[in-house]
Every structure is written in C-alpha cells, then in structure tokens.
Amino acid sequence: MSRSSPSNGQRGQTEPLAALVAVSALIVGIGLYGLYLTDTLPGTTDRTTEETAVTRIKGDIETDGVVRSSDHDELETLIETESLPHGRNVYVQVTVIDDGRETVVADALFGTDGQPNRDPIESGELEGPPAEAGVATRPIAVATRPGAVRGGTLLVGVWNG
C-alpha cells in the first residue's frame, strides 16, 4: 500500500492576510507587555525632573531626619552633584515658619554645570526660582538651634539654562 503525499503546493502554506494578522497580534502583545513592565518595575516612573531632584537633595541635606539651619553656608557642599539634573539650573531653598512668617534659613543656586553660584542670590537678583522653573517641595524638620526643631519646607526649582 502506498501512501499518498500532499503535493508540494499544499504543504505548510497559509494565507498572506492570516500571516499579517498573526504577526500584528504578536507585536501588539509584546508592546502591551512592555507597557506593563514600565509601570511595575522600580525606577521606571514618570516623575518630573524637579520631583526627582527634591527627593535626592532632601537625602543629601538631612542628617538623622533633620536639616541643620547652622549649615546655611554649607548647603552647597552638602548637595552632591549627582543629585542635580544635568544641564539644568537648580535653586534650593530651606524655610521655616518663625513667629508666624516664613523665614529662609538656607538657599543655594547651581548652574547647568552643577557648580554652586552665590552671585545672583547675594546681589538680590534671585530670591527664588524664576517663573519658568518647575518647582517641587517637601516638608522637612529643621533644627534652628540645638534642641529646637521646627517644621520647614524644602523647595527645589529646576529650569533650562
């Protein structure tokens, strides 16, 4: 008994439209999986530059959960260059509420190269971030003197140079 084999024209073929639909479904599936991973993996958030900077800077200037207001002149040295967004200007301000009004206890300005620049602050040219800056704030504890801790605010402004 001989077996009949399918002719060469009928073996392993599919319609072109069906192949396109199958490949398209595969590509869509991979894309959806990629979107899912972006939302679930750590470090892949859609946080803004200033939100990331304020979190990193807060970590740099806090010691045991407290920012020391005596570090006013040292603020520039406490903030690591890696905490600053590259190629952007950054203004950092620490304030406390004192006798019912907000008082600046420390501030710093960093240029696009990540280096501190006190000139605009000391000349009064810059009293806060400019209007075009993206701004983020975080509540912090500020030691105004030994044994006295007050609630304060860390403000970070980021803008293009």
Side-chain angles (χ1 to χ4, degrees):
M1 192 178 219
S2 72
R3 294 170 128 183
S4 65
S5 64
S7 66
N8 288 339
Q10 295 176 352
R11 209 181 320 182
Q13 291 184 357
T14 183
E15 291 291 324
L17 184 58
L20 286 174
V21 169
V23 170
S24 298
L26 179 67
I27 291 171
V28 168
I30 291 172
L32 290 173
Y33 181 68
L35 288 173
Y36 168 76
L37 285 180
T38 326
D39 288 338
T40 58
L41 289 178
T44 57
T45 64
D46 58 348
R47 292 177 45 171
T48 62
T49 305
E50 56 273 5
E51 288 290 330
T52 302
V54 76
T55 301
R56 290 179 178 173
I57 290 170
K58 184 177 185 240
D60 289 347
I61 66 174
E62 278 185 337
T63 305
D64 298 325
V66 176
V67 175
R68 313 240 184 286
S69 65
S70 61
D71 294 338
H72 181 283
D73 297 327
E74 299 175 18
L75 190 59
E76 289 96 353
T77 59
L78 293 173
I79 298 171
E80 297 183 21
T81 307
E82 294 81 30
S83 299
L84 303 170
H86 298 291
R88 310 284 295 275
N89 291 307
V90 179
Y91 177 76
V92 179
Q93 184 181 73
V94 176
T95 59
V96 295
I97 302 297
D98 193 22
D99 293 330
R101 64 185 179 94
E102 191 174 51
T103 305
V104 176
V105 294
D107 58 359
L109 172 66
F110 297 88
T112 56
D113 59 355
Q115 297 303 309
N117 181 6
R118 291 235 33 107
D119 295 339
I121 295 172
E122 290 174 358
S123 69
E125 198 178 312
L126 185 68
E127 296 177 6
E132 71 268 11
V135 176
T137 59
R138 290 284 184 279
I140 55 173
V142 180
T144 54
R145 61 181 191 276
V149 177
R150 293 181 181 240
T153 302
L154 170 64
L155 176 139
V156 174
V158 177
W159 69 97
N160 290 329

